[in-house]
Amino acid sequence: QVELVESGGGLVQPGGSLRLSCAASGFTLAYYAIGWFRQAPGKERERVSCISSSDGFTHYAASVKGRFTISRDNAKNTVYLQMNSLKPEDTAVYYCATVSALCDPTLDSWGQGTQVTVSS
């Protein structure tokens, strides 16, 4: 089975930055496309970003494009999400998951995620 563990969340002021990590256990992350998703209280989970396994393709939601950057360090079996110029509307629990070529999640069971709170 696969296991992905998110970390790096926290409380930041608007305009601040965080770097989230998605660490894989039990499989080689380099072989999979990975996406970041987020869910705020009372709202549906939404796709934030994804990165392909082989060709370097990346996708960003319009709301985060230019502010967030997804990357991967295959030697560390980890995918990152660098989050800059954070806004209060970025507040959510952030999850990572394996995704299809269209960035749809393929993981049936979601982990605990990591909380990001942007507030003054």
Side-chain angles (χ1 to χ4, degrees), residues 9-72:
L11 173 63
V12 297
Q13 293 185 330
S17 297
L18 286 172
R19 189 179 73 162
L20 307 184
S21 297
C22 174
S25 297
F27 68 104
T28 302
L29 193 59
Y31 298 157
Y32 295 86
I34 300 295
W36 282 98
F37 302 80
R38 67 187 182 187
Q39 187 170 26
K43 297 183 179 180
E44 294 294 314
R45 185 181 294 108
E46 64 174 329
R47 181 175 61 221
V48 176
S49 182
C50 57
I51 185 168
S52 67
S53 61
S54 299
D55 61 7
F57 170 84
T58 58
H59 163 83
Y60 299 94
S63 59
V64 308
K65 194 170 187 178
R67 300 188 297 121
F68 292 9
T69 303
I70 190 169
S71 64
R72 63 196 311 155

Coordinates of all heavy atoms in Angstrom, one line a residue, residues 9-72:
G9 N 2.5 22.9 7.6 CA 1.5 23.9 7.8 C 1.7 24.7 9.0 O 2.6 24.4 9.8
G10 N 0.9 25.8 9.2 CA 1.0 26.6 10.4 C 0.2 27.8 10.2 O -0.6 28.0 9.3
L11 N 0.4 28.8 11.2 CA -0.3 30.0 11.2 C 0.7 31.1 10.7 O 1.8 31.3 11.2 CB -0.7 30.4 12.6 CG -1.3 31.7 12.9 CD1 -2.6 31.9 12.1 CD2 -1.6 32.0 14.3
V12 N 0.2 31.8 9.7 CA 1.0 32.9 9.1 C 0.1 34.1 8.8 O -1.1 34.0 8.7 CB 1.7 32.5 7.8 CG1 2.7 31.4 8.0 CG2 0.7 32.1 6.7
Q13 N 0.7 35.3 8.8 CA 0.0 36.5 8.4 C -0.2 36.7 6.9 O 0.6 36.1 6.2 CB 0.8 37.7 9.0 CG 0.8 37.8 10.5 CD 1.5 39.1 11.0 OE1 2.3 39.6 10.3 NE2 1.0 39.5 12.2
P14 N -1.2 37.4 6.5 CA -1.3 37.6 5.1 C 0.0 38.2 4.5 O 0.6 39.0 5.1 CB -2.4 38.7 5.0 CG -3.3 38.4 6.2 CD -2.3 38.0 7.3
G15 N 0.3 37.7 3.3 CA 1.6 38.0 2.7 C 2.8 37.2 3.0 O 3.8 37.3 2.4
G16 N 2.6 36.3 4.0 CA 3.6 35.4 4.4 C 3.8 34.2 3.6 O 3.1 34.0 2.5
S17 N 4.7 33.3 3.9 CA 5.0 32.1 3.2 C 5.1 30.9 4.0 O 5.4 30.9 5.2 CB 6.4 32.3 2.5 OG 6.4 33.4 1.5
L18 N 4.8 29.8 3.4 CA 5.0 28.4 4.0 C 5.4 27.5 2.9 O 5.1 27.7 1.7 CB 3.7 27.9 4.6 CG 3.2 28.5 5.9 CD1 1.8 28.0 6.2 CD2 4.1 28.2 7.0
R19 N 6.1 26.4 3.3 CA 6.5 25.3 2.4 C 5.9 24.1 2.9 O 6.3 23.6 4.0 CB 8.0 25.2 2.2 CG 8.3 24.2 1.0 CD 9.8 24.1 0.8 NE 10.5 23.3 1.8 CZ 11.6 22.7 1.7 NH1 12.3 22.9 0.5 NH2 12.2 22.1 2.7
L20 N 5.0 23.5 2.2 CA 4.4 22.2 2.6 C 5.2 21.0 2.0 O 5.7 21.1 0.9 CB 3.0 22.1 2.1 CG 2.0 23.2 2.5 CD1 0.6 22.9 2.1 CD2 2.1 23.5 4.0
S21 N 5.2 19.9 2.7 CA 5.9 18.7 2.3 C 5.0 17.6 2.2 O 4.1 17.4 3.0 CB 7.1 18.4 3.2 OG 8.1 19.4 3.2
C22 N 5.2 16.7 1.2 CA 4.4 15.5 1.0 C 5.4 14.4 0.9 O 6.1 14.2 -0.2 CB 3.5 15.6 -0.3 SG 2.6 14.1 -0.7
A23 N 5.5 13.6 1.9 CA 6.5 12.5 2.0 C 5.9 11.2 1.7 O 4.9 10.9 2.3 CB 7.3 12.5 3.3
A24 N 6.5 10.4 0.9 CA 6.0 9.1 0.5 C 6.7 8.0 1.3 O 7.9 8.0 1.5 CB 6.1 8.8 -1.0
S25 N 5.9 7.0 1.7 CA 6.4 5.8 2.3 C 5.8 4.6 1.6 O 4.6 4.6 1.3 CB 6.0 5.7 3.8 OG 6.6 6.8 4.5
G26 N 6.6 3.6 1.4 CA 6.1 2.3 0.8 C 6.1 2.3 -0.7 O 5.7 1.3 -1.3
F27 N 6.5 3.4 -1.4 CA 6.5 3.4 -2.8 C 7.5 4.5 -3.3 O 7.8 5.4 -2.5 CB 5.2 3.6 -3.5 CG 4.5 4.9 -3.3 CD1 4.5 5.8 -4.3 CD2 3.9 5.2 -2.1 CE1 3.9 7.1 -4.1 CE2 3.3 6.5 -1.9 CZ 3.3 7.4 -2.9
T28 N 7.9 4.4 -4.5 CA 8.8 5.4 -5.1 C 8.0 6.6 -5.7 O 7.3 6.4 -6.7 CB 9.7 4.8 -6.1 OG1 10.4 3.7 -5.5 CG2 10.7 5.8 -6.7
L29 N 8.1 7.7 -5.1 CA 7.2 8.9 -5.5 C 7.5 9.3 -6.9 O 6.7 9.9 -7.6 CB 7.4 10.0 -4.5 CG 6.4 11.1 -4.5 CD1 5.0 10.6 -4.3 CD2 6.8 12.2 -3.5
A30 N 8.8 9.1 -7.3 CA 9.2 9.6 -8.7 C 8.3 9.0 -9.8 O 8.3 9.5 -10.9 CB 10.7 9.3 -8.9
Y31 N 7.7 7.8 -9.5 CA 7.0 7.2 -10.6 C 5.5 7.7 -10.7 O 4.8 7.2 -11.5 CB 6.9 5.6 -10.3 CG 8.3 5.0 -10.3 CD1 8.5 3.8 -9.6 CD2 9.4 5.5 -11.0 CE1 9.7 3.1 -9.6 CE2 10.6 4.9 -11.0 CZ 10.8 3.7 -10.3 OH 12.0 3.0 -10.3
Y32 N 5.1 8.6 -9.8 CA 3.7 9.0 -9.8 C 3.6 10.5 -10.0 O 4.4 11.3 -9.5 CB 3.1 8.6 -8.4 CG 3.0 7.1 -8.2 CD1 4.1 6.4 -7.7 CD2 1.9 6.5 -8.5 CE1 4.0 5.1 -7.5 CE2 1.8 5.1 -8.3 CZ 2.9 4.4 -7.8 OH 2.8 3.0 -7.6
A33 N 2.5 10.9 -10.6 CA 2.1 12.3 -10.6 C 1.4 12.6 -9.3 O 0.7 11.7 -8.7 CB 1.1 12.6 -11.7
I34 N 1.7 13.7 -8.7 CA 1.2 14.1 -7.4 C 0.5 15.4 -7.4 O 0.9 16.4 -8.1 CB 2.4 14.2 -6.4 CG1 3.1 12.8 -6.3 CG2 1.9 14.7 -5.0 CD1 2.3 11.7 -5.7
G35 N -0.6 15.5 -6.7 CA -1.3 16.7 -6.6 C -1.5 17.2 -5.2 O -1.5 16.4 -4.2
W36 N -1.6 18.5 -5.0 CA -2.0 19.1 -3.7 C -3.5 19.6 -3.8 O -3.9 20.2 -4.8 CB -1.1 20.3 -3.4 CG 0.2 20.0 -2.9 CD1 1.4 19.9 -3.6 CD2 0.6 19.6 -1.5 NE1 2.4 19.6 -2.7 CE2 1.9 19.4 -1.5 CE3 -0.2 19.5 -0.4 CZ2 2.6 19.0 -0.3 CZ3 0.5 19.2 0.8 CH2 1.8 18.9 0.8
F37 N -4.2 19.3 -2.8 CA -5.6 19.7 -2.7 C -5.8 20.4 -1.3 O -5.0 20.2 -0.4 CB -6.5 18.5 -2.8 CG -6.3 17.7 -4.0 CD1 -5.3 16.8 -4.2 CD2 -7.2 17.8 -5.1 CE1 -5.1 16.1 -5.4 CE2 -7.0 17.1 -6.3 CZ -6.0 16.3 -6.4
R38 N -6.9 21.1 -1.2 CA -7.2 21.8 0.0 C -8.7 21.8 0.3 O -9.5 21.7 -0.7 CB -6.7 23.2 0.1 CG -7.3 24.2 -0.9 CD -6.6 25.5 -0.9 NE -7.2 26.5 -1.8 CZ -6.7 27.7 -2.0 NH1 -5.5 28.1 -1.5 NH2 -7.3 28.5 -2.8
Q39 N -9.1 21.8 1.5 CA -10.4 21.9 1.9 C -10.6 22.8 3.1 O -10.0 22.6 4.2 CB -10.9 20.4 2.3 CG -12.4 20.4 2.5 CD -12.9 19.0 2.6 OE1 -12.2 18.0 3.0 NE2 -14.2 18.8 2.3
A40 N -11.5 23.8 2.9 CA -11.8 24.7 4.0 C -13.1 24.2 4.7 O -13.9 23.5 4.1 CB -12.0 26.1 3.5
P41 N -13.3 24.6 5.9 CA -14.6 24.2 6.6 C -15.8 24.5 5.8 O -16.0 25.7 5.4 CB -14.5 24.9 7.9 CG -13.1 25.1 8.2 CD -12.5 25.4 6.8
G42 N -16.7 23.5 5.6 CA -17.9 23.8 4.9 C -17.8 23.8 3.4 O -18.8 24.1 2.7
K43 N -16.6 23.6 2.9 CA -16.4 23.7 1.4 C -15.9 22.3 0.9 O -15.4 21.5 1.6 CB -15.4 24.8 1.1 CG -15.9 26.2 1.5 CD -14.9 27.2 1.0 CE -15.4 28.6 1.3 NZ -14.4 29.7 0.9
E44 N -16.1 22.2 -0.4 CA -15.6 21.0 -1.1 C -14.1 21.0 -1.2 O -13.5 22.1 -1.3 CB -16.2 20.8 -2.4 CG -17.7 20.5 -2.4 CD -18.1 19.2 -1.7 OE1 -17.4 18.2 -2.1 OE2 -19.0 19.2 -0.9
R45 N -13.5 19.9 -1.3 CA -12.1 19.8 -1.6 C -11.8 20.3 -3.0 O -12.5 20.0 -3.9 CB -11.6 18.3 -1.4 CG -10.1 18.1 -1.5 CD -9.7 16.7 -1.4 NE -9.9 16.2 -0.1 CZ -10.9 15.3 0.3 NH1 -11.7 14.8 -0.7 NH2 -11.0 14.9 1.5
E46 N -10.8 21.1 -3.1 CA -10.4 21.6 -4.4 C -9.0 21.3 -4.8 O -8.1 21.3 -3.9 CB -10.7 23.1 -4.5 CG -9.8 24.0 -3.6 CD -10.0 25.4 -3.7 OE1 -10.3 25.9 -4.9 OE2 -9.9 26.2 -2.8
R47 N -8.7 21.2 -6.0 CA -7.3 21.0 -6.5 C -6.6 22.3 -6.5 O -7.1 23.3 -7.0 CB -7.4 20.4 -8.0 CG -6.0 20.1 -8.5 CD -6.2 19.4 -9.9 NE -6.9 20.2 -10.8 CZ -7.8 19.8 -11.7 NH1 -8.1 18.5 -11.7 NH2 -8.4 20.6 -12.5
V48 N -5.4 22.3 -6.0 CA -4.5 23.4 -5.9 C -3.4 23.4 -7.0 O -3.2 24.3 -7.7 CB -3.9 23.6 -4.5 CG1 -2.9 24.7 -4.5 CG2 -5.0 23.7 -3.5
S49 N -2.7 22.2 -7.1 CA -1.6 22.1 -8.0 C -1.3 20.6 -8.2 O -1.6 19.8 -7.4 CB -0.4 22.8 -7.4 OG 0.7 22.8 -8.3
C50 N -0.6 20.3 -9.3 CA -0.1 18.9 -9.5 C 1.1 19.0 -10.3 O 1.4 20.0 -11.0 CB -1.2 18.0 -10.1 SG -1.8 18.6 -11.7
I51 N 1.9 17.9 -10.3 CA 3.1 17.8 -11.0 C 3.2 16.4 -11.6 O 2.9 15.4 -10.9 CB 4.3 18.1 -10.1 CG1 5.6 18.1 -10.9 CG2 4.4 17.2 -8.9 CD1 6.8 18.7 -10.1
S52 N 3.7 16.3 -12.8 CA 3.7 15.0 -13.5 C 5.0 14.2 -13.0 O 5.9 14.7 -12.3 CB 3.8 15.1 -15.0 OG 5.0 15.8 -15.4
S53 N 5.0 12.9 -13.3 CA 6.1 12.0 -12.9 C 7.3 12.1 -13.8 O 8.4 12.0 -13.3 CB 5.6 10.6 -12.8 OG 5.2 10.1 -14.1
S54 N 7.1 12.4 -15.1 CA 8.2 12.2 -16.0 C 8.6 13.5 -16.9 O 9.7 13.7 -17.2 CB 8.0 11.1 -17.0 OG 7.8 9.9 -16.2
D55 N 7.6 14.2 -17.3 CA 7.8 15.3 -18.3 C 7.9 16.7 -17.7 O 8.0 17.7 -18.4 CB 6.8 15.2 -19.4 CG 5.4 15.4 -18.9 OD1 5.2 15.7 -17.7 OD2 4.4 15.2 -19.7
G56 N 7.7 16.8 -16.4 CA 7.8 18.1 -15.7 C 6.6 19.0 -15.8 O 6.6 20.2 -15.4
F57 N 5.5 18.5 -16.3 CA 4.3 19.2 -16.4 C 3.8 19.6 -15.0 O 3.8 18.8 -14.1 CB 3.2 18.4 -17.2 CG 1.8 19.1 -17.1 CD1 1.5 20.0 -18.0 CD2 0.9 18.7 -16.2 CE1 0.2 20.6 -18.0 CE2 -0.3 19.2 -16.1 CZ -0.7 20.2 -17.0
T58 N 3.4 20.9 -14.9 CA 2.7 21.3 -13.7 C 1.4 22.1 -14.0 O 1.2 22.6 -15.1 CB 3.7 22.3 -12.9 OG1 4.0 23.4 -13.7 CG2 5.0 21.6 -12.5
H59 N 0.6 22.0 -13.0 CA -0.7 22.7 -13.1 C -1.0 23.5 -11.8 O -0.6 23.0 -10.7 CB -1.9 21.7 -13.3 CG -3.2 22.2 -13.0 ND1 -3.9 22.9 -13.9 CD2 -4.0 22.2 -11.9 CE1 -5.1 23.3 -13.4 NE2 -5.1 22.9 -12.2
Y60 N -1.6 24.6 -12.0 CA -2.0 25.4 -10.8 C -3.4 26.0 -11.0 O -3.8 26.4 -12.1 CB -1.0 26.6 -10.7 CG 0.4 26.3 -10.5 CD1 1.3 26.2 -11.5 CD2 0.9 26.0 -9.2 CE1 2.6 25.8 -11.3 CE2 2.2 25.6 -9.0 CZ 3.1 25.5 -10.0 OH 4.4 25.2 -9.8
A61 N -4.1 26.0 -9.9 CA -5.4 26.6 -9.9 C -5.2 28.1 -10.2 O -4.2 28.7 -9.7 CB -6.1 26.4 -8.6
A62 N -6.2 28.7 -10.8 CA -6.0 30.2 -11.1 C -5.8 31.0 -9.9 O -5.1 32.0 -9.9 CB -7.3 30.6 -11.9
S63 N -6.4 30.6 -8.8 CA -6.4 31.3 -7.6 C -5.0 31.4 -6.9 O -4.7 32.2 -6.1 CB -7.4 30.8 -6.6 OG -7.1 29.4 -6.3
V64 N -4.1 30.4 -7.3 CA -2.8 30.4 -6.7 C -1.7 30.6 -7.7 O -0.5 30.7 -7.3 CB -2.6 29.0 -5.9 CG1 -3.7 28.8 -5.0 CG2 -2.4 27.9 -6.9
K65 N -2.0 30.6 -9.0 CA -0.9 30.7 -10.0 C -0.2 32.0 -9.8 O -0.7 33.1 -9.6 CB -1.5 30.6 -11.4 CG -0.5 30.4 -12.5 CD -1.2 30.1 -13.8 CE -0.2 29.7 -14.9 NZ -0.9 29.4 -16.2
G66 N 1.2 31.9 -9.8 CA 2.0 33.0 -9.6 C 2.4 33.2 -8.2 O 3.4 33.9 -7.9
R67 N 1.7 32.5 -7.2 CA 2.0 32.6 -5.8 C 2.6 31.3 -5.3 O 3.4 31.3 -4.4 CB 0.8 33.0 -5.0 CG 0.2 34.3 -5.4 CD -0.9 34.8 -4.4 NE -2.0 33.8 -4.5 CZ -2.5 33.2 -3.4 NH1 -1.9 33.3 -2.3 NH2 -3.5 32.4 -3.6
F68 N 2.1 30.1 -5.8 CA 2.5 28.8 -5.3 C 3.4 28.1 -6.4 O 3.2 28.3 -7.6 CB 1.3 27.9 -5.1 CG 0.4 28.3 -3.9 CD1 0.6 29.5 -3.3 CD2 -0.6 27.5 -3.5 CE1 -0.3 29.9 -2.2 CE2 -1.4 27.8 -2.4 CZ -1.3 29.0 -1.8
T69 N 4.3 27.3 -5.9 CA 5.1 26.5 -6.8 C 5.2 25.1 -6.3 O 5.6 24.9 -5.1 CB 6.6 27.1 -6.9 OG1 6.5 28.5 -7.3 CG2 7.4 26.3 -7.8
I70 N 4.9 24.2 -7.1 CA 5.1 22.8 -6.8 C 6.4 22.2 -7.3 O 6.8 22.6 -8.4 CB 3.9 21.9 -7.3 CG1 3.9 20.5 -6.8 CG2 3.8 21.9 -8.9 CD1 2.6 19.8 -7.1
S71 N 7.0 21.4 -6.6 CA 8.3 20.8 -7.0 C 8.5 19.4 -6.3 O 7.7 19.0 -5.5 CB 9.5 21.7 -6.6 OG 9.6 21.9 -5.2
R72 N 9.5 18.7 -6.8 CA 9.7 17.4 -6.2 C 11.2 17.1 -6.0 O 12.0 17.6 -6.8 CB 9.0 16.3 -7.0 CG 9.6 16.1 -8.4 CD 8.6 15.3 -9.3 NE 8.2 14.1 -8.6 CZ 7.1 13.4 -8.9 NH1 6.2 13.9 -9.8 NH2 6.8 12.3 -8.3

